[in-house]
Amino acid sequence: MTEITNYQLYINGEFCDASDGGRFDSVNPSTGEVWATAPAATEEDVDRAVNAAHHAIFEGEWSKLTPTQRGHLLHKLADRVAEVAHNLGSIETTDSGKLAAETRGQTAYVSDYYRFYAGMADKIQGEVLPIDKPDMHVFTKREPIGVVAAIVPWNAEMFLTATKVGPALAAGCAVVIKASEIAPAPILEFAKVVDEVGFPPGVINLITGFGEPCGRILTSHPKVSKVAFTGGADTARHVVANTANNFAPVSLELGGKSPLLVFDDADLEGAVNGAIAGNFGASGQSCVAGSRVIVQSGLYDQFIEMVTERAQQIRIGDPLADDTQMGPLATQVQLDRCIRVVAESAEQGATIHTGGKRPEGRDDLEAGWYFEPTVIGCPDQTITSTRVELFGPVMSVLKFDTEEEAIALANDTEFGLGAGIFTSNVARAHRVSDAIHSGIVWVNTYRAISPIAPFGGFGQSGYGREAGVDAIRDFTRTKTVWINTSSEPMANPFVIR
Ligand code: TXE
């Protein structure tokens, strides 16, 4: 029998249980067994975490550090995350089912995000304004916006935590991070790293619990000044409504139905690799999954043949094993949705070239939430699999003849997160990337990310950008200071001269 790990919350620099002792189970998606439990934070816990963060920013030790000293602590965090990336990645894999090769690699890279923002901590500058009044010195300062509520989902926890915590701390804010109830363990394991680094109490608080009440109370809390949310669009609508209470600005990093265009002049091997990475990486549970692959007619048949063959060769199995290439889905709900939508799409006239079901004849995969890499040929975009975000390893392939048609198909979506273009024609690469409505465009590559490059979308994919230099502005508020430099006292406003 698996030994169960019982995690604790991390509030105000201390590990603790939920105030009422409540806990919930976390299931390993590759075995279907409970392997850990996490506290279900109560209203009292959320309130304590927010107050601790508020105290840290405005009165505590954190508020007295210079920006450079804050940067040093972020560098220490980066170092420690890099040292324990293997362990943090393994915990993330056990809890979410995401491939260990990905979680370990991504966590190691996450340290670069902390380092990037560590360097920015003492480069957040105000301005002296060329003001239109005599005897006035007017300048702006960029102050920490306040307590940041960071809501992270289960599909890339260490990464999506870093994109929020890095800029928030560099700006001088303090954070309350709420992990997803689907995979709570990585965040609570990360709490041990935070504790070792030695941040002043209250700077980073890590809690777990359900959307109701924990997520609601956190995002509507009167002392929260900024909400950074990654998750689904339906939950995002609740979050935005919650902030009607505190008027906290929100950034929303939601899902997508990103197009990946393959032109006849593309390097076919590269395009196939892009489509495989965009659809089967992270078992397709990625917000930037390139799940609508739109291929020009001259290459279409060859492309279908190649992706089908490659999909069939993918080694499915235990996500912790070194030779596995694709793990399970994170939840039974995700699995059921993939099965249902693929079947519905076939009934609507789509052709299933491979997959569309749970793997057969593999006893070792029966208990887990596994789904075969799936390739579906779709006659048009009325097919359900081309419209809804599936968050599973399902590639929908469409055919086009002209560039105009490709752009029209690409833009026929309510989402606007990522897009891929595979072509050897430089002019076309620029032309099409200008014409596509999305926050990110990758040309002859796919799913590349960097702390230096802004990340985010629009429409149903949300708003605001994470990563990059500009992201830090969202964690600051501007103060304008007017100083009267005249040697005379301020004039009486009721005496007209
Ligand atoms: O996310 P949810 P789920 C998409 C993907 C997926 C779907 C649902 O399509 O199938 O969303 O995924 C917290 N106030 N993405 O169920 O429900 C909740 O506790 C405040 C895309 O995992 O959006 C959790 O911590 N918070 C995506 C977080 O919101 C609330 C990543 C996300 O939960 C709340 C994940 C409330 N009222 C899913 N209710 C991406 N962009 O990568 C819930 N939460």
Side-chain angles (χ1 to χ4, degrees):
M1 220 181 92
T2 328
E3 195 170 321
I4 309 257
T5 307
N6 296 308
Y7 281 99
Q8 288 192 299
L9 307 174
Y10 186 69
I11 299 176
N12 202 22
E14 284 174 3
F15 290 94
C16 57
D17 290 324
S19 62
D20 64 359
R23 289 194 156 265
F24 62 96
D25 293 338
S26 193
V27 174
N28 178 338
S30 67
T31 63
E33 283 178 17
V34 174
W35 79 281
T37 72
T42 61
E43 179 162 6
E44 188 183 326
D45 299 318
V46 175
D47 193 51
R48 222 157 51 75
V50 173
N51 277 308
H54 196 269
H55 180 83
I57 302 167
F58 297 107
E59 293 154 74
E61 205 184 314
W62 183 239
S63 67
K64 315 227 165 20
L65 297 186
T66 62
T68 308
Q69 287 170 321
R70 289 202 303 265
H72 288 162
L73 278 168
L74 271 169
H75 272 300
K76 263 179 92 176
L77 179 63
D79 291 343
R80 195 66 195 124
V81 166
E83 278 161 19
V84 298
H86 189 90
N87 178 49
L88 283 175
S90 305
I91 300 285
E92 195 173 334
T93 292
T94 307
D95 219 20
S96 69
K98 190 168 168 175
L99 203 63
E102 291 191 58
T103 55
R104 290 171 186 155
Q106 199 170 55
T107 307
Y109 188 42
V110 149
S111 64
D112 281 3
Y113 281 72
Y114 289 116
R115 243 180 268 291
F116 178 79
Y117 287 108
M120 280 191 71
D122 54 9
K123 293 162 195 72
I124 306 168
Q125 299 168 346
E127 289 175 322
V128 175
L129 305 181
I131 207 74
D132 59 343
K133 309 265 180 298
D135 301 325
M136 286 289 177
H137 174 54
V138 184
F139 59 94
T140 58
K141 296 175 72 178
R142 301 205 67 90
E143 299 182 335
I145 194 167
V147 177
V148 175
I151 309 272
V152 293
W154 44 266
N155 62 330
E157 267 174 81
M158 288 302 108
F159 167 62
L160 294 167
T161 298
T163 57
K164 299 168 179 61
V165 171
L169 266 54
C173 300
V175 294
V176 180
I177 302 160
K178 182 192 128 23
S180 165
E181 54 273 40
I182 290 170
I187 285 293
L188 300 176
E189 191 70 28
F190 176 63
K192 299 174 190 168
V193 177
V194 169
D195 194 60
E196 285 163 8
V197 170
F199 284 97
V203 174
I204 305 181
N205 304 275
L206 297 131
I207 63 173
T208 47
F210 293 88
E212 180 58 46
C214 181
R216 176 181 53 79
I217 291 164
L218 177 59
T219 51
S220 60
H221 196 289
K223 284 190 184 162
V224 162
S225 299
K226 152 94 186 154
V227 177
F229 174 84
T230 306
D234 291 338
T235 310
R237 276 179 256 283
H238 287 288
V239 168
V240 172
N242 296 344
T243 57
N245 194 49
N246 51 19
F247 295 136
V250 185
S251 56
L252 301 174
E253 203 276 276
L254 313 178
K257 194 72 205 172
S258 300
L260 194 151
L261 273 49
V262 181
F263 287 89
D264 279 349
D265 58 21
D267 178 292
L268 185 57
E269 181 72 24
V272 167
N273 285 334
I276 298 284
N279 282 273
F280 305 138
S283 305
Q285 299 171 117
S286 163
C287 51
V288 290
S291 51
R292 286 185 299 137
V293 180
I294 303 173
V295 186
Q296 201 158 12
S297 39
L299 275 188
Y300 186 86
D301 290 343
Q302 221 183 330
F303 182 88
I304 289 280
E305 199 180 310
M306 282 176 77
V307 285
T308 302
E309 198 184 317
R310 290 279 298 278
Q312 287 166 347
Q313 287 166 356
I314 289 174
R315 287 189 300 275
I316 307 175
D318 176 359
L320 278 171
D322 287 341
D323 60 349
T324 298
Q325 294 176 324
M326 209 180 86
L329 297 175
T331 64
Q332 176 86 51
V333 173
Q334 300 284 124
L335 174 62
D336 292 345
R337 187 161 54 162
C338 286
I339 294 171
R340 192 181 65 245
V341 169
V342 172
E344 187 179 312
S345 302
E347 276 167 27
Q348 293 165 335
T351 308
I352 302 177
H353 294 289
T354 189
K357 55 181 174 28
R358 293 173 57 92
E360 286 161 358
R362 290 272 307 268
D363 293 350
D364 58 326
L365 304 185
E366 254 167 40
W369 298 314
Y370 289 93
F371 190 71
E372 283 186 357
T374 299
V375 177
I376 321 180
C378 298
D380 56 42
Q381 292 199 130
T382 59
I383 304 293
T384 307
S385 71
T386 66
R387 305 225 68 90
V388 300
E389 182 181 44
L390 263 165
F391 239 54
V394 179
M395 183 193 303
S396 296
V397 191
L398 294 129
K399 197 192 285 190
F400 72 91
D401 288 314
T402 65
E403 189 177 302
E404 291 68 32
E405 211 186 314
I407 293 166
L409 281 168
N411 287 340
D412 177 21
T413 175
E414 55 187 357
F415 296 103
L417 186 54
I421 303 169
F422 283 83
T423 177
S424 54
N425 179 331
V426 178
R428 167 174 281 153
H430 281 281
R431 208 165 48 235
V432 177
S433 67
D434 281 352
I436 286 186
H437 301 163
S438 67
I440 311 160
V441 177
W442 287 287
V443 177
N444 294 330
T445 184
Y446 204 78
R447 260 186 108 206
I449 52 163
S450 162
I452 301 157
F455 187 96
F458 47 78
Q460 292 296 305
S461 297
Y463 50 77
R465 294 291 177 271
E466 297 198 326
V469 171
D470 286 354
I472 208 149
R473 296 184 74 85
D474 292 351
F475 295 88
T476 66
R477 60 187 185 198
T478 302
K479 177 174 278 174
T480 307
V481 183
W482 291 73
I483 297 184
N484 183 352
T485 57
S486 160
S487 54
E488 299 297 317
M490 185 177 165
N492 181 341
F494 298 113
V495 176
I496 312 288
R497 289 189 223 202

